[in-house]
Structure formats: structure tokens, C-alpha cells
Amino acid sequence: MFEKKKVWLGVGSVLATTVAASQVTAAPLTQPGAAPSMFMAAPMAEGEMAAPEIDLNTNDTAFLAQLGFIRGHLWVGMKLYEQGHIEMAKTHMKHPGDELYSGLTEAFEARGLPGFAEPLNTLAESVINDKDEDTVMSNYKALLDSISANEPIAEMSAKDVILSVSSMLMVAADEYAIGIQNGEVANVHEYQDAMGFKEIALERLNRINDKEASKAEEAISETRKVIGNLENLWPTTTPEGKFEGDPSKIYGAASRIELEARSI
């Protein structure tokens, strides 16, 4: 596994109608050591961060997706931890703080939100320093509660939440395309990232507020079905060697879900 910090330049179609200031064609650029902002998506390149054109201070769809990427890393990290893959888990615990959280600090301040730097660091340190399982699980629960306190999802429309889900899946497809190449596991960490992002994208649907959920019942149901059809792409958290996986299915699911969102 290799660490890298990535900045995305551009806005994809998933966010095009939610960003008033700019609608540009995506062109990803990897910049080791750069400070993160948010995300975009393009085949064979990573991105969990936003372009400068996206204002995380006001764009709830992009802001929610960024928090989703953090949740995704934590989800798969804890899954690996529970399965006994401790060294792999440590890499996912370290990643959100190193590469993602710093890009949100301005948005937290602008939104009057507390952020969650301390519980994020506490969980990472407890895993990295091999604390006992009860301590790790308690820290994870506390962190999830802290992340929830910063998420705007309860006030968001179903359309915007589902657009955020689509965005997360586009990036999951990018990560998967890096992780699985030519019928082999090329980078298990990125494969795992994609798994975590998919799981959080699905979980988002359960948190749409009741009023919006009743208005968008059909779109939500179809979105669940589309994501459910991707399950066989991740038969295990730790694949090795030969592995048949097709990122185009994830790209297709993301596009289908975007259409569902825009039909609301």
C-alpha cells in the first residue's frame, strides 16, 4: 500500500447542477503532498476530495460525500480489524486524518460545526497502538456519533442525498479500477476503499428524513437495488492474486443512480 494525497481539478456531471459557480469537465491531477479539498471521478485515477470550484462551506451534496469518504475508510478499517487483519486496518485508520480531514476544517468553521478531529485521532491511535478491543470499539462508536453531529443529511432533500450517493460510487469505481487490474489484485487497499465507500453510500439511504423519503420512495428503492447488485464485486475484504472484477459495473450504477436522483 502506498500513501498519497490527491487533489481533484474539475466537477463531474454528478455535481454539475449543484455547483452554481462552475460547471467544468473533470481532469484529475495527482499531487503528492497537496492539501485536500474534495473529490471528482475519472477512470484509473483516485479522488476523495473536491475541486477548488466546489465550495464545501455551502455545498451540502459535496460536503456529505466528503464525510462519506471518511466514514468509508473507517468502515472498512473496522471490518478488517474485526476480522483480525490488524495491519491492514491501521492503514485505513491513518488515511482519513492524513488526507481528508484537513480539507474540511474551513467548512466546519463556516458551518458553525465542531468537527471531530479529536475522536478521529483517538480512534486511529488506539488501533495503531494496539489498544484492547473494548477501547477501540468504544472509540469507534464515539467517533461515529461525532461525525453524525456534523452531517447535514437530516435537512437535505432526497435528490441531493442520492446525488451524493452517486458521487461516492463514481469514486468507488475509480478506486476499484486501481485495485483490480487485468484480472488480478493490483492494490488491495484501493479495492477496500471502494468497498467502504459502497457500504456508506448504501447506508446514506436509511438516513433520508421521513418527509423526503416518502416523496422519493421509488428512487430510493431503485437506488438500493442498484447498489445491491454490486455486492458480488467484493466477495472478501482481502483478495489476492487472480480476481475477476469489473469497475464498469460501478460506473454504470453511479450513472443510473444519478438519473434516479434527477427524476425526483
Side-chain angles (χ1 to χ4, degrees):
M1 200 282 294
F2 50 94
E3 291 295 333
K4 48 204 171 299
K5 297 187 179 181
K6 302 147 287 190
V7 173
W8 287 98
L9 304 181
V11 180
S13 63
V14 171
L15 291 179
T17 62
T18 68
V19 184
S22 177
Q23 292 186 343
V24 296
T25 300
L29 175 65
T30 299
Q31 294 182 343
S37 301
M38 221 327 264
F39 70 93
M40 222 320 283
M44 300 308 294
E46 291 184 278
E48 300 156 23
M49 296 158 274
E53 293 85 355
I54 297 177
D55 186 0
L56 292 177
N57 299 353
T58 58
N59 188 311
D60 286 346
T61 301
F63 183 68
L64 185 66
Q66 180 74 345
L67 293 175
F69 294 133
I70 291 177
R71 279 187 179 270
H73 281 291
L74 297 171
W75 183 92
V76 77
M78 291 305 297
K79 180 64 69 175
L80 290 163
Y81 179 86
E82 292 169 356
Q83 294 173 347
H85 304 295
I86 307 302
E87 293 307 312
M88 283 185 175
K90 290 177 180 180
T91 66
H92 290 280
M93 293 298 121
K94 187 172 182 289
H95 187 90
D98 281 356
E99 298 195 13
L100 299 176
Y101 187 87
S102 62
L104 286 166
T105 54
E106 181 182 332
F108 290 140
E109 183 176 353
R111 291 167 176 267
L113 296 170
F116 47 89
E118 184 175 345
L120 181 62
N121 185 65
T122 297
L123 175 63
E125 290 298 316
S126 65
V127 175
I128 291 168
N129 293 322
D130 299 312
K131 299 296 184 181
D132 63 89
E133 184 177 353
D134 287 346
T135 297
V136 170
M137 297 308 293
S138 177
N139 289 342
Y140 182 49
K141 182 181 184 304
L143 175 54
L144 293 183
D145 290 343
S146 294
I147 296 174
S148 294
N150 288 271
E151 288 175 324
I153 192 168
E155 293 78 40
M156 289 174 64
S157 69
K159 176 180 179 178
D160 285 346
V161 174
I162 295 173
L163 283 173
S164 184
V165 165
S166 177
S167 300
M168 287 193 67
L169 286 178
M170 286 292 287
V171 175
D174 293 341
E175 306 288 81
Y176 196 93
I178 294 169
I180 307 298
Q181 297 183 25
N182 301 318
E184 293 187 353
V185 178
N187 188 315
V188 71
H189 184 92
E190 307 304 336
Y191 163 94
Q192 292 163 348
D193 284 348
M195 185 180 196
F197 300 162
K198 179 264 299 181
E199 288 293 330
I200 298 305
L202 183 60
E203 184 270 343
R204 290 289 192 220
L205 302 174
N206 298 328
R207 298 176 57 205
I208 296 171
N209 71 64
D210 291 344
K211 181 179 178 181
E212 286 293 315
S214 66
K215 285 188 346 187
E217 185 175 354
E218 186 176 341
I220 293 170
S221 177
E222 184 62 23
T223 298
R224 280 201 180 95
K225 179 180 177 181
V226 170
I227 297 175
N229 288 339
L230 301 175
E231 289 295 328
N232 63 357
L233 294 175
W234 292 274
T236 175
T237 56
T238 56
E240 297 179 355
K242 297 294 183 182
F243 189 93
E244 292 300 325
D246 186 357
S248 69
K249 293 181 179 179
I250 313 174
Y251 285 118
S255 297
R256 174 59 189 273
I257 290 169
E258 180 186 355
L259 291 175
E260 289 294 332
R262 300 198 186 286
S263 73
I264 299 172

